[in-house]
Amino acid sequence: MTKVLVVEDSPFNMELVLEVLDDMGFIAAGVTNGADAIKNTENEVYDLILMDIELPGMDGVVIQKILKNNIKYKNIPIIALTAYAMKGDKERFIAEGFDDYISKPINMDDFTHRLEKYRK
Amino acid sequence: MPGLTNMDILSLVSDAIISITDEDIIFFWNRSAQNLFGWKENEVIGKKLSALAVPPERLAEKAKLEDEVKSGKIITGIETAWLTKNGNPANLILSLILARDKDQNIIGSSYIINNNNETKPAGEALIESEMRLHAMMQSSTDAFIIADKDGTIISTTGVAQNILQYTEQDLKGKPLSVIIPKRYKASHEIGVQRMIATGKANIIGKKVGLFGVRKDGSEFPLELSLNVWNSGKKIFFSAMIGEIKIATIKRNTSFLSNFKKTGEKPRKNSLIFSEDTYPDEPETVASRLSRITMDSSFIKYRRKAEELQSENTRIALAYKAESEFLATISREFRDPLGSIIGFCELLKRKTHGDLEKKQEQYIDTIHKSGKSLITLIDKFELKRTGAEKIHLVMGKIFVIEIINETFNLLKEKALEHNVELTKDIATSFNLINADKKFLNLIFFNLMGNAIDFSSGGSVHITAKEENTMARFSVRGSGWGDIPKKIDDYSVVLDKENIPEFVISKKLVQMHGGKIFSERKDGDLLITFIMPIEVKKRGI
Ligand SMILES: [Mg+2]
């Protein structure tokens, strides 16, 4: 079973993303901030993390760096999930260390297609 | 507000600064920490501080300090020894504060660390740290005031000086209470004392609205956020202040001067209205008459100039309000809309059962409506402009008349700054179809700003026709100094963020024209072109 952690502070997006992941047969858990994300990662082994960028407290980029700098978690793929849809943003997020980038509002077909390759 | 954030300041100081989460994970490590301990930033971010630099026998001490700072205690001047990358012990003096993000949420704690083997004499170190502070303050575009633990002002940024209309010298060494109305002084002093004694303040980290006092004694609404800092063994306060702009409408010329980036010379009193220009000696009837005539024309123009100033404020406020409104709309609408669209797409997949034909049709409609709303929000995002509410009233205008009018409006200001105003209007160029008030405002803004920058020099305006277009240029002899910082004259209008330019640009664009800046014999020339016959339009 593929375990996915969703870090997202908007309840609307959280509900949608958890629902899609559930439909895809993934096991998904959701947290709304960086501190909970780090705590959760310590207690559970995830196969994939979906990370919102604009979050209260630490932003998604910082949380991603903290996780990637930790030998225990550095192999977990992290996908940026963000409303920034400017040209070149994808490159910027990849350069920051993210494994992929999906812009919001999510396109269902694109989203499921892109997540398929992380299925365990 | 752009400029230095707390984190930026932390990365500049020569004290080593290390920020950790509640789980002891390092998320900030400045250059001085790298120098002191030997690890580079990318070697430590995400790691536990205890596992790196803290010897086993010091772990309990570290945990105790972190508990204490969370309970509101000020931790400063703790002597201890940690380990460097080579495994050597380093004698340190620690201070500890809560780490906050830009919204003032607590996100962990920050160690401020000095090397205890410092051989520099105390005095020299002090001077060095003051110079560093000074340099830091100069580069800040925020209105900052830094005070020591007694509330004595150590340093202020240029922006803060502008808001308060004090110079750096005026404020340095004065108690913080000079910028606060007398009626608040008692409670301010109690507050400061409590803050020193307990490290707690009712207003620390929060934005509070109160009143400030300018040098001339006038009061204005002010937003203040206060922070406590520990540097080595010293405690100091930083106050970030923001003027609440609406209240400035009534103050003559303050709209423009508030936005000046660098310390502008204080304005002299008007030559005409200052009382000491009317000596008590008897006047001749003729001179009295001429003075009265002159006065009434100055009063008329002064009133008109004030009206134009408040027009500037109105446009700027409309622009700001609308752009903030649109930003909020787009932020708050996007997520729920994305969810509506997403769930429609999920339903259309029929993973959880088939849909009736009608049901599918309805979902299609919801989906399409949601999509069209998102497209609408994208459009708003693209043209976040407040000029929407400003409508042009077009009419035929005599070019020479409107330029003369502007000269009259600015005569007093030109006198104050000792600036010569000259014009060159093509004789064939008579009429233009434009909004009279706004065309006047464009000239007034550009020339007014040119005068501000050109004390002792000259400001020249030209007007001519080019086929169906009107071409106006303003040249200020002192304007050439603006773009030195950016080395590119063509971006002055956009990059300098001078409100007279921003508003003029908007108004020119609303007239279907364009505005640009260029270099001319070392001077800066601002030119705008607009159709002579213009169709009514908004942005
Ligand atoms: Mg968010």
Side-chain angles (χ1 to χ4, degrees):
Chain A
M1 287 296 240
T2 316
K3 283 188 187 158
V4 186
L5 178 67
V6 183
V7 189
E8 165 67 79
D9 64 327
S10 152
F12 306 103
N13 278 319
M14 179 68 95
E15 202 179 332
L16 177 65
V17 172
L18 291 182
E19 197 65 36
V20 186
L21 292 170
D22 188 54
D23 273 6
M24 291 177 74
F26 289 2
I27 296 181
V31 292
T32 57
N33 61 67
D36 288 348
I38 292 164
K39 237 177 262 164
N40 249 269
T41 326
E42 277 172 10
N43 302 330
E44 183 72 65
V45 183
Y46 289 101
D47 302 304
L48 175 66
I49 297 173
L50 296 178
M51 182 78 71
D52 183 23
I53 299 302
E54 288 183 306
L55 291 164
M58 279 182 274
D59 73 19
V61 179
V62 173
I63 306 167
Q64 179 264 133
K65 289 212 161 131
I66 290 176
L67 293 172
K68 291 274 182 188
N69 270 298
N70 189 314
I71 195 116
K72 256 165 58 191
Y73 316 125
K74 76 169 192 206
N75 291 322
I76 306 176
I78 305 181
I79 299 180
L81 198 60
T82 163
Y84 304 142
M86 312 271 273
K87 244 188 177 165
D89 260 4
K90 178 164 179 157
E91 288 68 30
R92 186 162 72 82
F93 285 109
I94 304 281
E96 292 280 13
F98 284 98
D99 295 84
D100 202 353
Y101 161 96
I102 296 177
S103 72
K104 291 190 284 196
I106 55 174
N107 172 300
M108 212 44 71
D109 291 335
D110 177 57
F111 183 81
T112 45
H113 175 75
R114 268 206 275 164
L115 258 56
E116 205 48 58
K117 69 172 172 212
Y118 297 99
R119 192 185 287 280
K120 282 274 154 74
Chain B
M1 257 194 239
L4 291 168
T5 64
N6 289 352
M7 278 304 180
D8 292 331
I9 290 177
L10 294 181
S11 67
L12 285 171
V13 298
S14 79
D15 299 339
I17 299 187
I18 301 170
S19 301
I20 53 171
T21 65
D22 290 346
E23 288 79 29
D24 193 38
I25 295 165
I26 300 168
F27 66 91
F28 181 83
W29 182 270
N30 74 350
R31 198 165 304 152
S32 305
Q34 178 181 324
N35 295 341
L36 183 55
F37 290 99
W39 287 285
K40 291 198 179 104
E41 187 188 7
N42 60 7
E43 295 175 294
V44 296
I45 299 286
K47 299 214 170 121
K48 291 207 178 214
L49 178 58
S50 314
L52 280 178
V54 188
E57 69 275 15
R58 299 283 186 185
L59 286 174
E61 177 191 68
K62 175 176 173 290
K64 186 169 160 259
L65 292 177
E66 287 164 19
D67 281 346
E68 282 178 355
V69 78
K70 271 171 218 152
S71 70
K73 247 181 114 174
I74 290 184
I75 312 291
T76 184
I78 307 294
E79 299 191 12
T80 189
W82 286 3
L83 302 172
T84 66
K85 191 179 179 182
N86 315 325
N88 298 328
N91 293 323
L92 309 170
I93 301 174
L94 303 179
S95 299
L96 192 58
I97 57 172
L98 290 171
R100 294 170 192 271
D101 67 8
K102 62 180 187 329
D103 299 320
Q104 300 297 338
N105 302 311
I106 295 169
I107 52 173
S109 32
S110 296
Y111 280 95
I112 300 155
I113 305 170
N114 282 294
N115 196 336
N116 203 7
N117 304 328
E118 199 74 67
T119 47
K120 259 182 214 145
E124 197 177 307
L126 196 67
I127 289 165
E128 192 191 296
S129 82
E130 288 219 353
M131 279 170 65
R132 216 165 49 227
L133 179 67
H134 188 71
M136 210 167 79
M137 297 292 280
Q138 292 314 301
S139 62
S140 174
T141 53
D142 283 334
F144 257 118
I145 297 173
I146 293 197
D148 68 12
K149 70 172 174 40
D150 301 312
T152 303
I153 296 170
I154 303 168
S155 187
T156 49
T157 61
V159 189
Q161 293 153 26
N162 270 1
I163 290 179
L164 298 163
Q165 300 180 354
Y166 276 102
T167 65
E168 163 105 21
Q169 267 62 40
D170 284 340
L171 286 171
K172 204 169 173 177
K174 295 269 163 56
L176 209 43
S177 58
V178 296
I179 64 159
I180 294 167
K182 280 209 175 69
R183 61 182 181 282
Y184 295 137
K185 272 181 189 160
S187 61
H188 163 77
E189 260 145 32
I190 293 167
V192 168
Q193 269 155 22
R194 184 178 49 222
M195 208 147 67
I196 294 162
T198 64
K200 283 185 196 159
N202 296 335
I203 62 166
I204 290 237
K206 277 185 268 177
K207 256 192 187 165
V208 288
L210 40 89
F211 281 89
V213 184
R214 295 194 188 86
K215 190 178 182 180
D216 63 7
S218 59
E219 288 189 15
F220 63 102
L222 166 96
E223 230 175 31
L224 177 108
S225 66
L226 209 55
N227 266 300
V228 189
W229 298 86
N230 296 254
S231 175
K233 290 183 176 174
K234 284 193 296 185
I235 300 171
F236 57 92
F237 300 106
S238 72
M240 171 123 70
I241 59 173
E243 189 168 6
I244 300 169
K245 283 277 153 52
I246 299 163
T248 63
I249 296 172
K250 287 205 187 80
R251 284 178 51 83
N252 181 32
T253 67
S254 71
F255 174 81
L256 298 175
S257 57
N258 282 337
F259 283 90
K260 289 289 158 341
K261 292 197 163 172
T262 45
E264 184 195 11
K265 277 169 250 123
R267 280 165 209 280
K268 282 174 280 174
N269 281 327
S270 146
L271 289 172
I272 302 302
F273 287 86
S274 156
E275 282 172 17
D276 53 19
T277 58
Y278 298 131
D280 286 333
E281 62 198 51
E283 281 178 289
T284 63
V285 175
S287 84
R288 191 182 167 79
L289 262 178
S290 85
R291 178 173 66 76
I292 290 167
T293 325
M294 206 167 156
D295 272 9
S296 67
S297 93
F298 263 103
I299 287 167
K300 181 180 131 210
Y301 287 122
R302 175 179 270 241
R303 198 165 294 146
K304 185 85 195 287
E306 276 176 6
E307 271 168 34
L308 283 176
Q309 295 288 16
S310 52
E311 196 59 34
N312 266 333
T313 314
R314 189 177 78 88
I315 297 173
L317 283 176
Y319 173 68
K320 190 168 165 257
E322 193 136 343
S323 121
E324 276 170 8
F325 174 70
L326 287 176
T328 312
I329 294 262
S330 97
R331 225 181 14 248
E332 299 296 327
F333 277 45
R334 230 173 242 285
D335 284 348
L337 263 177
S339 173
I340 291 172
I341 294 168
F343 274 106
C344 286
E345 287 172 11
L346 275 186
L347 277 170
K348 281 163 68 168
R349 290 181 156 190
K350 302 173 189 168
T351 328
H352 301 282
D354 216 342
L355 297 169
E356 299 281 324
K357 206 168 174 221
K358 271 280 176 197
Q359 288 174 332
E360 205 167 349
Q361 220 180 321
Y362 294 163
I363 289 161
D364 268 341
T365 311
I366 300 173
H367 186 244
K368 264 191 219 125
S369 315
K371 281 262 188 191
S372 83
L373 278 177
I374 290 260
T375 322
L376 196 66
I377 289 173
D378 285 341
K379 266 191 208 150
F380 276 145
E381 198 98 307
L382 283 178
K383 49 177 240 180
R384 247 195 238 169
T385 156
E388 214 83 60
K389 276 186 198 135
I390 293 148
H391 294 292
L392 302 185
V393 183
M394 307 301 279
K396 295 271 176 225
I397 302 162
F398 282 102
V399 173
I400 184 132
E401 202 172 89
I402 199 152
I403 291 177
N404 282 343
E405 169 98 355
T406 316
F407 270 56
N408 281 328
L409 291 172
L410 291 167
K411 208 181 263 170
E412 189 188 346
K413 187 188 186 108
L415 254 163
E416 276 180 48
H417 288 261
N418 191 21
V419 169
E420 188 194 3
L421 298 181
T422 54
K423 57 179 182 264
D424 180 9
I425 303 165
T427 45
S428 60
F429 188 15
N430 286 322
L431 285 166
I432 183 168
N433 189 22
D435 181 303
K436 190 173 180 192
K437 183 172 71 181
F438 289 142
L439 185 58
N440 196 357
L441 189 57
I442 298 169
F443 286 130
F444 180 79
N445 278 342
L446 294 178
M447 292 184 66
N449 183 275
I451 293 170
D452 274 339
F453 275 93
S454 308
S455 287
S458 64
V459 171
H460 183 66
I461 181 163
T462 57
K464 60 183 171 189
E465 290 167 290
E466 276 180 1
N467 302 322
T468 58
M469 302 295 274
R471 188 187 183 93
F472 301 100
S473 293
V474 179
R475 181 170 173 171
S477 62
W479 254 349
D481 291 338
I482 317 175
K484 278 201 179 119
K485 294 166 273 176
I486 50 177
D487 289 331
D488 183 358
Y489 280 67
S490 66
V491 297
V492 170
L493 284 164
D494 298 315
K495 289 288 158 63
E496 289 294 313
N497 204 16
I498 294 171
E500 292 95 319
F501 292 174
V502 175
I503 288 168
S504 301
K505 184 172 178 177
K506 240 171 247 312
L507 293 173
V508 168
Q509 284 169 345
M510 284 176 75
H511 279 88
K514 58 178 185 178
I515 182 164
F516 50 89
S517 49
E518 59 193 320
R519 199 186 179 113
K520 194 104 188 195
D521 310 326
D523 280 355
L524 178 75
L525 190 68
I526 293 184
T527 299
F528 62 100
I529 331 181
M530 53 168 69
I532 295 174
E533 277 295 335
V534 210
K535 299 255 159 8
K536 186 177 170 173
R537 58 173 287 191
I539 304 183

